[in-house]
Amino acid sequence: MYSKRFEKEAFKKEVKHNVRTLYRREIDEATPQQIFQAVSYAVKEAIVDDWLATQKTYEKEDPKTVYYMSMEFLMGRALGNNLINMTAYKEVKEALDEMGIDLNAIEDQEPDAALGNGGLGRLAACFLDSLATLGYAAYGCGIRYRYGMFKQKIENGYQVETPDNWLKDGNPFELRRDEYAKEVRFGGTIRVEYDEKTKRNYYIQENYESVLAIPYDMPIVGYGNHVVNTLRIWDAKAITEFKLDSFDRGEYHKAIEQENLAKNIVEVLYPNDNHYAGKELRLKQQYFFVSASLQALIAKYKKKHSDIRKLYEKVTIQMNDTHPTVAVAELMRLLIDQEGLEWDEAWDVTTKTVAYTNHTIMSEALEKWPIDLFSRLLPRVYQIVQEIDRRFVEQIRQMYPGNENKVAKMAILRDGQVKMAHLAIVAGYSVNGVAKLHTEILKHQELRDFYEMMPNKFNNKTNGITQRRFLLHGNQLLADWVTAHIGDGWITDLSEMAKLKPLADDPKARAEFMDIKYKNKERLAAYILEHNGVEVDPRSIFDVQVKRLHEYKRQLLNILHVMYLYNQIKEHPEMPFYPRTFIFGAKASAGYVRAKQIIKLINSVAEVVNNDRSINGKLKIVFIEDYRVSNAEWIFAAADVSEQISTASKEASGTGNMKFMLNGAPTLGTMDGANVEIVEEVGIENAFIFGLSSDEVINYENHGGYNPQEIYFNDWELKRVVDQLMDGTYSHGDHEMFRDLYNSLLNTQGSPRPDMYFILKDFRPYAEAQKRVEEAYRDTDRWARMALLNTASCGKFTSDRTIQEYVDDIWKLDKVTVEPEE
Ligand code: NBG
């Protein structure tokens, strides 16, 4: 048994006790939410035992620690996952069953911790799971947003956003740690004072505003190893409580301002994925959590170590995209202004401590802060950035004498902007991309000049996902089946899945595998009926595209193809056609108008097609509302086809693709991101690949030569589909509703080219690939083989492998074992 606390009778007693003390109720009077809280507190007891044991071990062994700094941690729900990782899920389920309580229903009471947008935030969450499971000391550092990713409602086919008040019932797993609060300052001016004695300048910030950063710790439970790491997310509080006597001192406004700053700074997550909005408050958020985290880690280091110049021996900082890269200059500031180091010493420490991960080549995602904003908000930090830039430009000139073009392209400060990626690359001791293809594109296209100048920094770390959440928890039927065949080693060593490969030739195993898929499809069908009111047939092909809505991800290509299929079926009712359910799930950033139109289009097509009785239910379209981590777990389990159809070169990696593969859904996709490596692992015959290559796309982008009108006028079936955006077929006769989408395909309108994402170019190849899907699916044996082989070949895509590579090549952490307390 993992912990005596999960012994059935003891656990039941604890739950009842918690209901009484928390709510002054007996268990049979408690609401499901109250039971969720009571159960969670009982689980937390066991977690805290291990949390303390882990802390003691770390204190004793003093391992090197990674601080994973990220604006986003898309954690999802904690209760089920914690039970899974404490290997207590089944015990607790039974204990609750005996009390007449259904664990699933209780889990359903927990709001997702949705402190992230999409892949980047979910990756951070998977990494924390793997770090704890592998026994490495790690902190996640982030923001405790009062409101996470918005809740999505679909009204009349349109996305409507409502606030995600995830903390309203209280978060049973978090711990507030007032004793580690830190002050963070904004704005004001810098006065320089020269000290004769030390012969140094001192920089004093005056007339600033400040907030108090208060950390909340959330436990990150390793699988079956009693390791509990910490996700530390910061809340903000005004430093001077609003006092009445402030009136007298004329500080009324200042007091109010500080209150407001504190309230605003952690209020809400910006709902942008792969897009940079350039808002002042966003920069405040970034500096806020970075500064607080750095202050805390330095204080912690100094408790045990006297020489700050050796910080990098015990601490490493991974910057998750450019969002936390102000850490470079803030660490310099703390080392120079607070710790008294000279510039060169501080630079030595910083450049051995910070490392940077790039997550996108989308230019609209690259953060470039206007200098006037940056310097006003962070005056001292800006001075430091100026000096870093000055020295770097000198270096460029030394290396490339007379080549001012290099300076123009690589400088940190240029065109009135602070280029955060450049700052990160210059200071980072490692720069990594997130899939092989992505890293190659970084080296040879996007970051070519930097790669030429400092090739040794660049490396690849192909993303991964945690099988503990996305199989063991999300698909218990398949997890049990896998364990029955190859044992449970896969839970912590996903390469074990390869042992399933021979089963692809075993008819009985194939039948079992597909039977599990069918049951998962039934489960999802019930969810869809309950949440969407649409009836779908689990015998149809479940063809799924779930991810953030973005033009480069090409949900538009998918729905145009559905429109095309619908035309075909209407025109040739006799045509053989295997019934299909096209499932979409996607949130669009609140300000992303075109993305929202695509959601409306999907829902409009759904309305027409789902209600057309003449097609006998051959086609169904479902848009799942509020796609998020918790319902994703069910969706992956039920998918037959994994749609990964981004414009080649644009999807840095993708991680949804891996979750589908793990759950036995072959990829229908372009050679983009990690799809390339998925195909390498599973074999091209077990995937459906189509479309332009990344080289072809980049070539068109650099040299032109693509004219979508040519395709449009030469392919009348495609033309008809595109025209249907305008002729009212899907808009109750309104010719304007989808005009912008129509135009985006055929005309340049403010954008450099028409059809920026090569949708018309890839349309036919996509339709053909879809035909191959249908043929393969008709052949039940063949399909079962493919599906099973996908699961069997997914070993590489565990985040355990990714993290081990980060540890070996970048972080150099020490492995720790934790003995549970008696
Ligand atoms: C996203 C990429 C995905 C990738 C995740 C995680 C950003 C900026 N990037 O392809 O679009 O899988 O990062 O690396 O959100």
Side-chain angles (χ1 to χ4, degrees), residues 197-375:
K197 270 198 246 115
T198 56
K199 304 250 179 296
R200 279 184 64 139
N201 279 329
Y202 287 85
Y203 300 85
I204 300 134
Q205 195 170 356
E206 293 174 328
N207 302 314
Y208 55 84
E209 282 183 280
S210 67
V211 293
L212 201 58
I214 315 257
Y216 283 71
D217 287 353
M218 307 236 279
I220 306 294
V221 178
Y223 183 83
N225 65 356
H226 300 277
V227 173
V228 179
N229 281 334
T230 302
L231 167 60
R232 173 163 285 183
I233 49 181
W234 298 87
D235 186 22
K237 208 174 94 175
I239 289 210
T240 40
E241 289 294 317
F242 177 58
K243 291 192 220 100
L244 268 184
D245 63 358
S246 303
F247 285 106
D248 306 332
R249 289 189 271 123
E251 285 179 356
Y252 174 80
H253 275 286
K254 197 165 176 207
I256 292 279
E257 270 165 25
Q258 303 222 9
E259 287 273 336
N260 282 339
L261 178 62
K263 186 176 167 300
N264 291 336
I265 211 161
V266 295
E267 188 67 3
V268 62
L269 166 79
Y270 279 94
N272 293 319
D273 184 272
N274 264 295
H275 185 84
Y276 159 68
K279 292 280 187 291
E280 174 163 350
L281 184 59
R282 168 86 171 179
L283 181 57
K284 283 187 185 164
Q285 291 185 333
Q286 296 182 346
Y287 182 68
F288 167 75
F289 94 94
V290 163
S291 178
S293 303
L294 287 173
Q295 292 181 53
L297 77 82
I298 289 175
K300 189 173 162 70
Y301 172 84
K302 283 170 68 179
K303 270 200 199 157
K304 267 194 160 346
H305 305 274
S306 52
D307 190 356
I308 194 76
R309 291 178 200 83
K310 293 194 175 146
L311 180 73
Y312 58 88
E313 288 182 358
K314 291 295 173 187
V315 167
T316 191
I317 296 169
Q318 192 67 31
M319 301 183 290
N320 197 26
D321 217 278
T322 52
H323 319 152
T325 51
V326 69
V328 170
E330 175 65 0
L331 182 56
M332 287 294 286
R333 185 187 73 83
L334 292 168
L335 293 173
I336 295 169
D337 294 359
Q338 312 266 337
E339 303 299 325
L341 296 195
E342 298 297 331
W343 180 276
D344 288 336
E345 293 173 318
W347 186 245
D348 182 64
V349 176
T350 300
T351 54
K352 286 177 174 161
T353 305
V354 302
Y356 161 62
T357 305
N358 175 288
H359 290 269
T360 188
I361 65 157
M362 299 293 292
S363 56
E364 64 263 40
L366 290 185
E367 291 184 303
K368 299 171 186 146
W369 295 105
I371 286 180
D372 52 356
L373 165 62
F374 193 96
S375 58

Side-chain angles (χ1 to χ4, degrees), residues 320-441:
N320 197 26
D321 217 278
T322 52
H323 319 152
T325 51
V326 69
V328 170
E330 175 65 0
L331 182 56
M332 287 294 286
R333 185 187 73 83
L334 292 168
L335 293 173
I336 295 169
D337 294 359
Q338 312 266 337
E339 303 299 325
L341 296 195
E342 298 297 331
W343 180 276
D344 288 336
E345 293 173 318
W347 186 245
D348 182 64
V349 176
T350 300
T351 54
K352 286 177 174 161
T353 305
V354 302
Y356 161 62
T357 305
N358 175 288
H359 290 269
T360 188
I361 65 157
M362 299 293 292
S363 56
E364 64 263 40
L366 290 185
E367 291 184 303
K368 299 171 186 146
W369 295 105
I371 286 180
D372 52 356
L373 165 62
F374 193 96
S375 58
R376 177 166 49 78
L377 207 60
L378 310 171
R380 177 61 183 139
V381 167
Y382 178 66
Q383 290 179 338
I384 289 169
V385 174
Q386 278 182 309
E387 181 60 13
I388 297 174
D389 181 60
R390 191 187 66 75
R391 288 170 185 241
F392 177 56
V393 167
E394 212 167 78
Q395 226 181 309
I396 303 174
R397 290 194 174 122
Q398 248 164 43
M399 199 152 164
Y400 304 102
N403 191 343
E404 281 306 299
N405 191 27
K406 284 271 181 195
V407 175
K409 285 197 286 184
M410 295 168 82
I412 299 165
L413 299 175
R414 196 79 192 185
D415 312 323
Q417 294 170 321
V418 188
K419 302 187 176 177
M420 301 309 279
H422 297 191
L423 179 63
I425 297 166
V426 171
Y429 70 90
S430 160
V431 175
N432 76 281
V434 291
K436 270 192 215 160
L437 175 67
H438 170 59
T439 301
E440 288 309 303
I441 295 174

Side-chain angles (χ1 to χ4, degrees), residues 470 546 627-638 659 663:
F470 292 105
V546 286
Y627 174 60
R628 60 191 184 281
V629 176
S630 55
N631 60 19
E633 293 178 33
W634 286 28
I635 296 169
F636 296 124
K659 296 163 197 168
N663 283 277

Side-chain angles (χ1 to χ4, degrees), residues 706-760:
Y706 170 50
N707 179 5
Q709 299 232 6
E710 229 165 73
I711 296 175
Y712 169 82
F713 283 114
N714 285 305
D715 182 339
W716 72 269
E717 285 175 323
L718 175 56
K719 178 170 183 302
R720 180 168 69 177
V721 169
V722 174
D723 290 346
Q724 282 169 339
L725 292 173
M726 291 283 278
D727 70 6
T729 310
Y730 296 106
S731 51
H732 301 282
D734 178 344
H735 298 269
E736 295 310 308
M737 189 177 282
F738 301 120
R739 182 186 289 276
D740 173 67
L741 293 179
Y742 173 92
N743 279 334
S744 76
L745 295 170
L746 295 172
N747 305 314
T748 25
Q749 5 169 52
S751 63
R753 290 171 285 112
D755 194 12
M756 286 280 286
Y757 297 100
F758 302 93
I759 288 175
L760 298 192

